Amino acid sequence: MEFWGYKREDGRVGIRNYVGVMSSVTCANSVVKKITEQIDGTLPIMHREGCAQIGADYEQTVRTLVGLGTHPNLASILVVGWGCENVLANELAAKIKSMRDFPVEWMIVQDSGGLLKSIEKGSAIAQEMVRKASILQREPMDLSGLVIALQCGGSDTTSGIAANPAVGVMSDMVVTEGGSVILSETTEIIGAEHILARRAVNEEVANDLIRIVKRFEENAKNMGVDIRGSQPTSGNIAGGLSSIEEKSLGAIMKAGSKPLQEVLDYSYRPSKKGLLVMDTPGRDPESITGMFAAGAQAMVVTTGRGIPTGSMLVPTIKLTGNPNAQKISEEIMDIDGSLIVQGKKTIEETGKELFEEIIAVASGKKTKAEILGLDELSILRAGPTL
Amino acid sequence: MSENRAIVINEQDNVATLISDVKAGDIVIVRMGDSEDKVTVISDIKFGHKFAVKSIAEGDEIIKYGEVIGRATVPIAVGEHAHIQNIESLRGRGDIKEA
């Protein structure tokens, strides 16, 4: 099995070829937005962090930004800073360049004559970068470099009996071809961790999984509250899910049946291939951003209720197992997963269809979310705002 | 009129998941793998929600996917809607002190 992708300097493969324009701090977002609005072929990477952060929180933000800045779906990157923040554009650009030796530029608004002049300067830099990026060509490659992020949102009971098991079939096919899938959302492993731990390649990986689930559960308990206040969500409950355990048992179906190779902390790059787990929260924007920073090139999102989670950096294929959500939100669903509960398609058939769709998307086919510009990104905080 | 259908995922399960809306008194065809059974539901229940396919006593574990998804807070009769009004989660409970 092959697809058409872009070979990158660090050995990874890209499925898109954008010039990234990334803010090092929230203050620079307006400049990034204006540059990317007028320069075709660029992609804004904007966030709310980058200042008044210390310790583990600061490190997590920088690690995530470096992961995003080196992303294989980028041909090159321009980092824009404001000038007085603690994630400095020049330092961030140097870190990015040290991880992937590709065209990296940076600029600081306070040193570039202010906001309006920076938009002009950044646009000129980005224009040249797009000209160079546009000559890169796709070439055939096997699936061993492909990393697929798995996410579910707005789940209901059809997620666990239809959409997620179909994703599991796809996951097994990707892993069989040598590629990787990342299961995320630690909250939604609570109550199902024993099943995944049994599939770990060794005791260390099994213990890693149990550790992240325990930590998450303890965090909820230490707040002195019942996790049922947010999990399952009101939408999950309306959709028939009665407990976090039920939600989790359905959610882990996305991971298929292959051995668990590695458990990653938030936004770390994998060192293994195959089935991976990343420690992320259940809230979609933070969870998916951790997997993007790890280098996932494509994402599959299942939903019961029809949530709009998507990304421009990481093309997102969406499906629902719920016939009503399919009807209401057909414009954001790439695959009709609701045929399963209607008895018109099997889980295996839908999983294969999804796998074929991923190969097509990896080779350049646009997803519905991509065409609509659905774009979520949010860095998980590891400490208080100071 | 289309048939009312529900799915049991594992033979150990004591609840089934509906894939149509039903009214109290409706007969539902419950599928488990290749076998089918009929259960009369005793509540109005929405698509995607669950009902008991076995008689469940107070304190019994609720089983779906062959795994524990919670505990019955009151007895649940065969055909009765099984949801947050009679099932409680056992995980992430900072509101209860561990023994």
Side-chain angles (χ1 to χ4, degrees):
Chain A
M1 180 66 71
E2 283 184 335
F3 75 101
W4 287 74
Y6 298 94
K7 220 168 240 165
R8 300 306 188 192
E9 301 77 2
D10 56 2
R12 294 190 294 172
V13 296
I15 69 169
R16 294 295 181 270
N17 198 48
Y18 290 111
V19 171
V21 182
M22 185 166 84
S23 55
S24 78
V25 62
T26 185
C27 308
N29 285 350
S30 55
V31 175
V32 167
K33 186 165 177 277
K34 288 292 179 191
I35 293 170
T36 52
E37 273 171 6
Q38 60 187 349
I39 304 298
D40 186 39
T42 58
L43 182 74
I45 302 175
M46 298 185 286
H47 56 94
R48 298 277 167 219
E49 321 311 335
C51 203
Q53 294 181 275
I54 56 165
D57 185 41
Y58 170 81
E59 283 161 23
Q60 182 154 296
T61 291
V62 172
R63 183 176 71 246
T64 307
L65 289 174
V66 170
L68 297 170
T70 55
H71 198 281
N73 288 350
L74 300 178
S76 52
I77 186 150
L78 167 62
V79 180
V80 183
W82 192 263
C84 45
E85 60 275 11
N86 66 355
V87 178
L88 290 167
N90 53 330
E91 289 177 15
L92 185 58
K95 282 191 177 112
I96 288 169
K97 183 87 177 168
S98 73
M99 296 286 286
R100 177 181 162 195
D101 190 12
F102 75 132
V104 180
E105 301 282 347
W106 61 272
M107 54 178 283
I108 288 174
V109 175
Q110 286 175 350
D111 299 339
S112 304
L115 191 144
L116 294 175
K117 287 199 172 67
S118 293
I119 294 167
E120 185 186 341
K121 178 182 168 184
S123 298
I125 295 170
Q127 184 188 27
E128 270 315 298
M129 290 177 115
V130 170
R131 290 185 74 215
K132 292 197 176 92
S134 66
I135 59 174
L136 299 178
Q137 297 289 322
R138 288 179 184 269
E139 48 191 300
M141 46 189 68
D142 66 30
L143 270 53
S144 64
L146 215 50
V147 182
I148 312 293
L150 308 176
Q151 183 77 18
C152 52
S155 299
D156 67 9
T157 48
T158 66
S159 303
I161 59 179
N164 291 343
V167 172
V169 170
M170 178 279 302
S171 291
D172 283 354
M173 293 175 79
V174 168
V175 172
T176 300
E177 291 284 336
S180 302
V181 296
I182 309 178
L183 180 74
S184 60
E185 304 177 276
T186 310
T187 339
E188 292 159 30
I189 302 177
I190 295 174
E193 66 270 35
H194 56 293
I195 299 170
L196 282 174
R198 278 200 296 263
R199 276 163 48 195
V201 286
N202 58 42
E203 210 180 320
E204 192 189 337
V205 173
N207 289 340
D208 282 348
L209 183 81
I210 301 296
R211 173 180 57 82
I212 64 165
V213 172
K214 265 205 178 126
R215 186 169 65 195
F216 230 97
E217 200 170 3
E218 288 306 316
N219 284 345
K221 282 185 180 174
N222 288 341
M223 289 167 73
V225 295
D226 178 354
I227 201 173
R228 290 178 300 178
S230 87
Q231 291 287 357
T233 65
S234 56
N236 295 151
I237 291 168
L241 290 170
S242 308
S243 68
I244 184 63
E245 297 95 310
E246 183 182 10
K247 185 174 173 180
S248 295
L249 290 161
I252 66 157
M253 296 279 176
K254 296 194 298 295
S257 63
K258 299 293 183 187
L260 174 62
Q261 301 288 343
E262 188 175 25
V263 176
L264 301 159
D265 280 327
Y266 186 83
S267 77
Y268 274 91
R269 212 189 265 198
S271 67
K272 301 272 167 40
K273 289 185 176 180
L275 171 60
L276 315 167
V277 165
M278 180 175 282
D279 184 19
T280 74
R283 215 176 84 102
D284 290 3
E286 284 90 341
S287 178
I288 63 177
T289 302
M291 294 187 284
F292 298 170
Q297 302 99 330
M299 173 164 69
V300 175
V301 173
T302 65
T303 172
R305 315 277 295 169
I307 50 125
T309 303
S311 165
M312 296 305 289
L313 178 64
V314 179
T316 304
I317 297 155
K318 297 172 68 74
L319 71 158
T320 177
N322 184 320
N324 191 42
Q326 176 68 26
K327 205 182 293 172
I328 293 170
S329 299
E330 199 194 343
E331 73 264 23
I332 56 172
M333 303 300 169
D334 296 279
I335 297 280
D336 186 354
S338 75
L339 296 173
I340 297 169
V341 298
Q342 296 176 64
K344 292 174 186 163
K345 257 191 185 172
T346 65
I347 287 168
E348 283 69 28
E349 285 166 347
T350 306
K352 276 182 194 148
E353 189 185 347
L354 185 55
F355 176 75
E356 281 158 17
E357 187 71 10
I358 283 186
I359 302 303
V361 167
S363 300
K365 181 181 178 181
K366 295 217 175 205
T367 71
K368 288 187 177 178
E370 211 176 355
I371 295 163
L372 290 168
L374 303 182
D375 198 16
E376 300 273 358
L377 190 131
S378 181
I379 300 168
L380 178 67
R381 295 291 300 270
T385 304
L386 296 175
Chain B
M1 209 189 103
S2 66
E3 290 173 323
N4 295 314
R5 288 193 168 270
I7 297 171
V8 169
I9 296 156
N10 186 289
E11 58 185 17
Q12 291 171 35
D13 294 0
N14 51 15
V15 290
T17 305
L18 275 164
I19 50 177
S20 45
D21 290 336
V22 295
K23 295 274 181 208
D26 281 355
I27 294 169
V28 178
I29 298 165
V30 180
R31 185 161 55 83
M32 213 294 292
D34 295 329
S35 66
E36 282 185 353
D37 206 355
K38 281 181 183 162
V39 173
T40 303
V41 293
I42 58 174
S43 332
D44 292 357
I45 315 175
K46 285 201 179 315
F47 172 97
H49 287 228
K50 300 176 292 298
F51 60 89
V53 290
K54 294 173 187 167
S55 180
I56 300 171
E58 182 182 337
D60 276 3
E61 289 174 337
I62 309 296
I63 310 290
K64 183 181 170 185
Y65 301 105
E67 301 283 341
V68 178
I69 65 161
R71 181 167 57 200
T73 54
V74 291
I76 309 172
V78 173
E80 186 178 349
H81 186 202
H83 201 22
I84 53 169
Q85 78 282 1
N86 50 22
I87 298 176
E88 67 171 2
S89 169
L90 302 172
R91 300 295 300 269
R93 295 288 301 271
D95 59 325
I96 42 177
K97 290 250 190 304
E98 275 169 45

